[in-house]
Amino acid sequence: MRALKLLDKFKSTQVHALSSTDTSTGSRSKLSKSKLTSYDSVARFLLPYGLPSTELLEPPIEPHLKPIYYAESLADLYCRLANCPQSGKSLLFIEQYSVLRGLGDPKLLRKCLCAARQYASDVHSKVVLSAWLRFEKREDELIGVSSMDCCGYILECPKAALVSGFDSNSVDNGCQCSQDHSEVVNAMTLTRNEPLSLKDNGEVTFCINDEVVHCKRLKIAALSSPLNAMLYGSFAESRWDSIDFSKDGISVEGMRAVEIYSRTRRVDFFHPKIVLELLSFANRFCCEEMKSTCDGHLASLVCSIEEALVLIDYGFEERANLLLASCLQVLLRELPMSLYNQKIMEVFCSYEAGERFATLGSSSFLLYYFLSQVAMEENILSNITLVLLERMQVFATEKWQKTLVLHRLGCVLLDRQDYKHAQLCFEAAAREGHSYSLAGVARTKFKQGEQYSAFRLINSLIFEHKPLGWMYQERSLYGVGREKITDLNTATELDPTLSFPYKYRAVKKLEEREIRSAISEIDRIIGFKLSPDCLELRAWFFIAVEDYQNSVRDIRAMLTMEPKYKMFHGKISATQLIELLSQHLQQENLADCWMRLYERWSSVDDIGSVAVIHQMLENDPGNSLLQFRQSLLLLRLNCQKAAMRCLRLARNNSFTEHERLVYEGWILYDTGHREEALARAEKSISIQRSFEAFFLKAYTLADTNLGPQTSSDVIQLLEEALRCPSDGLRKGQALNNLGSIYVDCGKLDKAADCYMNALKIKHTRAHQGLARVCHLKNQRKAAFDEMTKLIEKAYNNASAYEKRSEYCDRDMAKNDLDTATQLDPLRTYPYRYRAAVLMDDQRENEAVEELTKAIAFKPEMLTLHLRAAFYESMGDLKSSLQDCEAALCLDPNHADTLDLYNRTKGREKRKCKNAVKDYA
């Protein structure tokens, strides 16, 4: 490890996962040597980079709206959406997006954005939301896809966004890309209003300097009411045959274009400069139809950033909505790269921008919400981020908007170490009713040396509300000794998904030289919530005990999630550290890697599998098949953004058309476009029969209501897939899926054969399918034994404990589900099961409390539905209605919840009527 002394040249001031302070200056960036003198040689070599220290650990203040009671907030949103006029729904869905963002469910957030786009009626909102949807899919990473290309869906189509008005069926309709853009725009032009009752009394001549333009008086008068009044009204010009237009700001060419337009109602054969003159003329003389035509034509010409930057000024000056929207669209669909273009940022961040964009109304808030969010994701410390948030604040009108931007400003200023102004922002957000911002107030007070004041503030918050995990986590920062650990333990009990308590306890054990205990502690959260910062910490611990194999494994998994990750407070590239640590490991060839991948895969060790694939990709970086495998593993680990990135890489690196189509199909499937995914699979098969194409088609078909014919088709497709060349890893998955379809069809013996064949090629997950077959054959003991085998073999076995609980008696089932909760508290079935048991035992309050524990950190639809049902049975109709509304906010089409909601509403109405009668 002497080579680590060379790492000094990689030092930087990057602030990373283990510290929110600038580690390049100040005493807190170093660990005192007294704590390190007894560490082994490796630890001493890491001294220049700052070993993990509890003094450096600090949880971030999340830059999201974070309600105290999610159920109450979601219920309120549902009611407002139900009673909101169509014109206001788009912004309400954006509010829902803001509330749900803290839960980190990409599919749920995309659903909110799609709904917001669907209900948007003005072109500026449509343009912003279409670009937002495109950005969330990161289509900029797809090779060969232009920012202005249409992906085939009307909600993201750049041309459809320029059509004003609301279409309730827009989600299901095909986009209008096949139409000429001018046709789309012309559909919006105003009805002509020619004064046909007037007698055409010949020509009128317009003089511009020394030249004249001959026009039909009637045609010019038909362009607008002011021109009609001038030529046919009581003005002197109505009696003149020649009118001087030299001082009216139009050139001879422009006036000739006016004359031609008056006869043809077309502008598409004019030079853009002439069309701009026509636009100005139309504004001056209120020629609405001409303005609309010019606006639409100019909008159709904007295809590049350069054109957009030139024409956007005309859009503002002439109040040309379509032109302005078209320019905005080009700039927004280039995000995040637009953030690094100084000219583009001048458009959004200049002093005049606030006044200019105010003309967009509510769309201006949407615009800066989107821009500032992208900027925060790119670089929260940049000046651009701060300026965009300040602009967003100017356009915030509703309470939730003001709260969001104030809280986010507080988070940015906190990270920039501007504690005084950050405190003011957090305090303002708290005054708007956002209690979570009080955590920001406390943090800024603490940073300014007011530790006791910070402690008192959070303490009062705990006593005023039903305590939540983040409250105790925050209070732990301001406590000392045993009080700190007690608060962290309480935080974990209330919200086991908070990573900071695990990290703190682990580093505390490291400082006490209990490194194996430190590893066990951080293992607890890595087992169910994978994040780069926790992997980095565990890698650090493994280095400290010279376990370089596991350390490299974690660093590789970390790099799969974040390819540019830097370790040791951002002072060294993780890739560089792998190179240094690999000197202490046995070199492996490709065959060795494949053997290790099979071993990890069969042990259901997804992190280990990801690491092996990362190693294989070092020698073959363009291997799309391996990148596809990465995406599958990352989905299992619930790292959806990283999974999609790997899937896009697989698509970009495909050498053949049929392979590219398969990966595009998976991208479409994962973003909810199943029909299009199916079409990609069929096209791929038509080019070349392959395992992956048949598997994609089968998987997509199976994800529907399986009828007899569909089941038969899926079985045939999976059998075709198994006939195609592939490796055991994928064939094991296909056999497992085939077994599941056979079970659904009642063909248990065939299903058992599939599962047994899958187990022969070490597809360990097939034990679960075989257990199901045994259970359906009334072989309960055999089912239990199969799940026990899976538990013994699987590295990650929380789901196995959960599933085994179905095949044992009540007491053992409870033990298995308790174990499942300890291993993965994000699994909500154990909470629902325990609550149901308590309800059966008539311990109603305890049953409700069991569900409430899970809802506090994961407000899932099924859990809310069950608690609503419990409340109804207890006669607490008000609480039942609230939970139903919260559940329907997450899934408005859930039939069982809708039935319960309507039934409970009926009971509540009857109860109110009876109360009125009794009172009378």
Side-chain angles (χ1 to χ4, degrees):
M1 291 296 290
R2 294 184 184 279
L4 284 173
K5 287 185 176 180
L6 302 174
L7 302 181
D8 286 323
K9 65 180 180 180
F10 299 114
K11 286 187 181 181
S12 74
T13 58
Q14 177 184 336
V15 182
H16 221 289
L18 297 180
S19 175
S20 63
T21 58
D22 187 346
T23 56
S24 62
T25 59
S27 60
R28 292 188 66 185
S29 65
K30 298 178 182 178
L31 191 67
S32 64
K33 291 185 179 180
S34 62
K35 292 185 179 181
L36 296 166
T37 51
S38 60
Y39 276 176
D40 56 37
S41 59
V42 174
R44 287 197 299 274
F45 279 121
L46 296 179
L47 178 59
Y49 310 100
L51 288 174
S53 166
T54 52
E55 295 175 3
L56 294 175
L57 289 172
E58 186 177 286
I61 301 293
E62 297 177 26
H64 315 302
L65 291 180
K66 196 178 183 78
I68 294 268
Y69 307 113
Y70 264 108
E72 185 178 308
S73 297
L74 293 175
D76 175 63
L77 270 168
Y78 177 79
C79 292
R80 285 192 286 140
L81 279 166
N83 299 309
C84 177
Q86 186 174 284
S87 59
K89 285 192 173 182
S90 184
L91 269 178
L92 265 179
F93 279 114
I94 292 297
E95 182 181 352
Q96 183 185 29
Y97 170 90
S98 304
V99 171
L100 294 175
R101 189 162 174 80
L103 300 180
D105 185 339
K107 290 186 177 179
L108 199 55
L109 295 177
R110 183 170 179 81
K111 191 176 172 183
C112 294
L113 287 177
C114 284
R117 167 63 183 84
Q118 181 189 355
Y119 282 96
S121 57
D122 65 286
V123 291
H124 300 113
S125 295
K126 287 183 173 184
V127 159
V128 173
L129 291 166
S130 293
W132 202 333
L133 284 166
R134 183 182 190 277
F135 174 78
E136 290 296 329
K137 287 171 63 178
R138 299 300 196 276
E139 286 191 13
D140 59 292
E141 295 180 7
L142 294 176
I143 293 175
V145 176
S146 167
S147 62
M148 295 304 291
D149 285 347
C150 177
C151 59
Y153 319 117
I154 195 167
L155 294 185
E156 298 169 51
C157 175
K159 293 180 181 178
L162 295 177
V163 180
S164 185
F166 167 75
D167 180 4
S168 59
N169 297 317
S170 61
V171 174
D172 302 318
N173 290 350
C175 72
Q176 303 175 25
C177 281
S178 57
Q179 300 183 22
D180 181 73
H181 190 68
S182 59
E183 293 178 14
V184 176
V185 173
N186 286 339
M188 299 179 294
T189 58
L190 302 177
T191 304
R192 299 178 188 176
N193 189 25
E194 278 192 27
L196 297 176
S197 60
L198 295 173
K199 183 179 179 180
D200 186 359
N201 53 358
E203 291 187 349
V204 61
T205 300
F206 291 94
C207 301
I208 301 171
N209 298 326
D210 296 328
E211 298 191 54
V212 295
V213 178
H214 299 283
C215 302
K216 289 284 186 179
R217 183 181 292 268
L218 181 62
K219 296 291 185 182
I220 298 298
L223 293 179
S224 72
S225 296
L227 289 172
N228 182 43
M230 181 179 74
L231 297 174
Y232 285 97
S234 56
F235 293 97
E237 287 88 348
S238 65
R239 298 185 294 277
W240 296 349
D241 293 330
S242 180
I243 301 172
D244 187 6
F245 257 31
S246 298
K247 297 180 180 179
D248 282 277
I250 189 167
S251 67
V252 175
E253 292 81 6
M255 196 62 212
R256 285 176 182 150
V258 171
E259 188 277 328
I260 295 171
Y261 175 81
S262 71
R263 291 184 286 107
T264 64
R265 292 301 199 268
R266 292 178 60 186
V267 298
D268 52 310
F269 33 66
F270 298 134
H271 190 278
K273 287 185 179 179
I274 299 300
V275 181
L276 286 169
E277 274 201 79
L278 290 179
L279 180 62
S280 181
F281 179 91
N283 262 330
R284 192 174 303 112
F285 291 99
C286 304
C287 306
E288 295 301 325
E289 182 182 349
M290 181 192 288
K291 177 179 179 179
S292 179
T293 305
C294 294
D295 191 10
H297 178 67
L298 288 168
S300 69
L301 300 178
V302 186
C303 298
S304 68
I305 289 177
E306 292 73 22
E307 291 165 342
L309 289 172
V310 171
L311 290 174
I312 196 168
D313 289 332
Y314 290 100
F316 280 119
E317 290 168 13
E318 303 297 344
R319 301 183 302 281
N321 281 339
L322 275 178
L323 176 57
L324 179 56
S326 187
C327 293
L328 279 176
Q329 181 158 250
V330 170
L331 302 181
L332 293 177
R333 291 173 77 90
E334 290 289 342
L335 285 168
M337 294 311 298
S338 296
L339 294 174
Y340 304 100
N341 186 316
Q342 185 177 352
K343 291 181 179 179
I344 294 177
M345 286 300 100
E346 284 176 3
V347 170
F348 296 118
C349 300
S350 66
Y351 180 78
E352 299 83 8
E355 185 177 339
R356 281 178 151 192
F357 284 108
T359 59
L360 302 188
S362 61
S363 303
S364 55
F365 175 80
L366 271 182
L367 171 65
Y368 280 96
Y369 187 179
F370 175 36
L371 285 168
S372 61
Q373 182 159 298
V374 176
M376 288 180 74
E377 289 180 13
E378 287 291 301
N379 183 1
I380 197 170
L381 297 176
S382 73
N383 291 332
I384 290 290
T385 301
L386 189 59
V387 173
L388 290 172
L389 281 170
E390 288 170 347
R391 293 285 182 272
M392 179 182 168
Q393 185 179 17
V394 170
F395 297 121
T397 55
E398 298 183 21
K399 183 177 179 179
W400 73 269
Q401 296 172 354
K402 294 176 183 177
T403 302
L404 175 64
V405 69
L406 285 166
H407 183 74
R408 286 193 159 187
L409 272 169
C411 292
V412 169
L413 291 168
L414 176 63
D415 279 4
R416 291 167 67 98
Q417 300 181 19
D418 186 351
Y419 303 128
K420 183 177 180 180
H421 289 102
Q423 180 180 338
L424 293 175
C425 290
F426 284 130
E427 286 174 342
R431 285 196 295 272
E432 293 289 340
H434 191 230
S435 297
Y436 178 62
S437 291
L438 291 173
V441 177
R443 191 75 62 88
T444 53
K445 284 177 176 286
F446 175 65
K447 295 290 187 181
Q448 296 173 83
E450 302 176 33
Q451 182 171 346
Y452 182 62
S453 178
F455 178 85
R456 280 199 313 167
L457 180 59
I458 298 300
N459 207 42
S460 64
L461 190 63
I462 290 172
F463 284 107
E464 288 171 12
H465 302 278
K466 185 171 182 178
L468 295 171
W470 63 261
M471 297 177 185
Y472 282 96
Q473 173 179 272
E474 191 65 31
R475 193 174 74 173
S476 73
L477 298 178
Y478 319 126
V480 292
R482 190 62 196 169
E483 289 180 356
K484 183 185 287 284
I485 295 297
T486 300
D487 275 351
L488 288 173
N489 291 341
T490 304
T492 298
E493 183 181 344
L494 293 173
D495 185 352
T497 67
L498 295 171
S499 61
F500 173 73
Y502 299 93
K503 289 162 64 176
Y504 185 92
R505 288 188 294 260
V507 174
K508 185 72 174 173
K509 292 178 186 297
L510 173 72
E511 292 176 344
E512 295 168 355
R513 305 179 189 177
E514 300 176 14
I515 302 179
R516 288 298 176 187
S517 296
I519 293 171
S520 297
E521 180 64 30
I522 204 67
D523 277 346
R524 290 173 60 194
I525 191 163
I526 288 176
F528 68 89
K529 186 181 178 183
L530 195 62
S531 63
D533 57 331
C534 289
L535 281 172
E536 176 186 4
L537 199 56
R538 191 169 72 174
W540 224 330
F541 297 159
F542 281 128
I543 290 173
V545 293
E546 299 187 1
D547 186 347
Y548 305 132
Q549 185 77 49
N550 281 322
S551 178
V552 168
R553 175 203 63 194
D554 284 348
I555 297 171
R556 289 191 183 282
M558 181 199 317
L559 283 170
T560 303
M561 298 175 69
E562 285 192 26
K564 297 180 181 179
Y565 196 90
K566 290 191 174 183
M567 297 182 64
F568 303 118
H569 310 299
K571 294 176 181 176
I572 177 173
S573 160
T575 304
Q576 293 280 351
L577 189 58
I578 285 179
E579 292 176 5
L580 294 167
L581 294 176
S582 295
Q583 298 174 17
H584 299 264
L585 302 177
Q586 183 178 348
Q587 299 303 305
E588 294 179 314
N589 57 31
L590 185 60
D592 295 329
C593 288
W594 272 109
M595 288 181 64
R596 198 150 55 86
L597 180 59
Y598 268 90
E599 178 192 342
R600 295 297 89 213
W601 191 287
S602 64
S603 300
V604 197
D605 178 6
D606 294 330
I607 295 176
S609 299
V610 162
V612 176
I613 291 178
H614 182 273
Q615 182 178 349
M616 295 165 78
L617 281 167
E618 278 186 340
N619 298 320
D620 190 3
N623 190 316
S624 58
L625 181 61
L626 289 175
Q627 287 161 339
F628 176 56
R629 298 291 170 82
Q630 268 187 334
S631 72
L632 296 175
L633 289 162
L634 287 166
L635 279 176
R636 286 182 188 168
L637 292 165
N638 202 29
C639 303
Q640 296 186 36
K641 283 193 174 183
M644 286 299 289
R645 188 191 67 251
C646 292
L647 198 48
R648 288 190 292 272
L649 283 172
R651 180 263 187 202
N652 290 342
N653 290 324
S654 300
F655 287 111
T656 61
E657 174 72 4
H658 74 271
E659 188 181 15
R660 181 178 63 79
L661 287 166
V662 169
Y663 301 142
E664 285 182 0
W666 281 114
I667 291 172
L668 289 164
Y669 175 84
D670 288 339
T671 51
H673 302 292
R674 293 173 187 168
E675 293 299 322
E676 292 86 349
L678 202 58
R680 291 289 200 286
E682 289 169 349
K683 188 174 179 181
S684 179
I685 291 169
S686 70
I687 298 171
Q688 181 170 321
R689 296 162 61 85
S690 69
F691 175 92
E692 294 299 349
F694 280 117
F695 191 91
L696 170 61
K697 186 175 180 180
Y699 198 93
T700 306
L701 273 181
D703 194 18
T704 58
N705 293 322
L706 279 179
Q709 184 56 49
T710 306
S711 297
S712 176
D713 291 343
V714 172
I715 288 170
Q716 185 177 353
L717 288 165
L718 287 172
E719 288 175 344
E720 289 289 346
L722 288 165
R723 293 189 191 103
C724 296
S726 187
D727 57 71
L729 301 178
R730 291 299 280 157
K731 290 206 170 185
Q733 184 65 59
L735 286 165
N736 199 59
N737 288 19
L738 184 57
S740 297
I741 303 299
Y742 278 134
V743 169
D744 292 337
C745 296
K747 300 177 180 179
L748 300 184
D749 290 336
K750 286 190 174 183
D753 289 340
C754 287
Y755 292 130
M756 292 299 294
N757 287 331
L759 287 171
K760 287 176 184 176
I761 51 178
K762 296 188 176 181
H763 189 79
T764 306
R765 288 180 174 88
H767 281 297
Q768 182 169 319
L770 200 55
R772 185 182 173 199
V773 170
C774 294
H775 176 65
L776 291 172
K777 289 183 174 182
N778 294 320
Q779 299 170 357
R780 194 175 176 85
K781 175 67 167 58
F784 180 87
D785 291 342
E786 286 298 329
M787 291 309 302
T788 302
K789 292 175 186 176
L790 178 57
I791 289 170
E792 292 170 351
K793 292 179 182 178
Y795 184 84
N796 186 356
N797 52 22
S799 63
Y801 276 106
E802 181 181 297
K803 195 67 181 175
R804 191 176 73 170
S805 70
E806 299 178 21
Y807 310 133
C808 51
D809 59 45
R810 181 164 158 173
D811 290 338
M812 188 173 287
K814 184 180 181 304
N815 290 335
D816 275 356
L817 290 174
D818 288 345
T819 302
T821 297
Q822 290 173 7
L823 295 172
D824 184 356
L826 285 172
R827 307 185 75 86
T828 55
Y829 171 76
Y831 294 93
R832 296 200 301 273
Y833 178 89
R834 288 189 292 264
V837 170
L838 290 167
M839 203 66 180
D840 288 343
D841 293 342
Q842 298 183 336
R843 296 158 65 183
E844 297 172 334
N845 292 330
E846 292 176 65
V848 166
E849 186 56 35
E850 180 68 23
L851 295 176
T852 302
K853 281 194 295 187
I855 289 170
F857 61 87
K858 190 177 181 182
E860 185 191 59
M861 188 272 297
L862 290 175
T863 314
L864 286 163
H865 169 82
L866 186 58
R867 192 172 71 170
F870 286 178
Y871 276 133
E872 189 218 17
S873 69
M874 295 162 64
D876 188 348
L877 302 182
K878 185 177 179 181
S879 296
S880 178
L881 285 172
Q882 185 179 90
D883 278 355
C884 282
E885 289 159 354
L888 291 170
C889 187
L890 299 174
D891 184 358
N893 299 315
H894 191 249
D896 290 343
T897 304
L898 283 168
D899 290 342
L900 176 61
Y901 186 48
N902 293 328
R903 186 171 69 246
T904 307
K905 274 204 297 188
R907 285 186 60 188
E908 179 73 5
K909 286 179 181 177
R910 289 192 296 273
K911 183 179 178 182
C912 291
K913 285 181 181 179
N914 293 334
V916 171
K917 287 180 182 178
D918 293 341
Y919 179 77

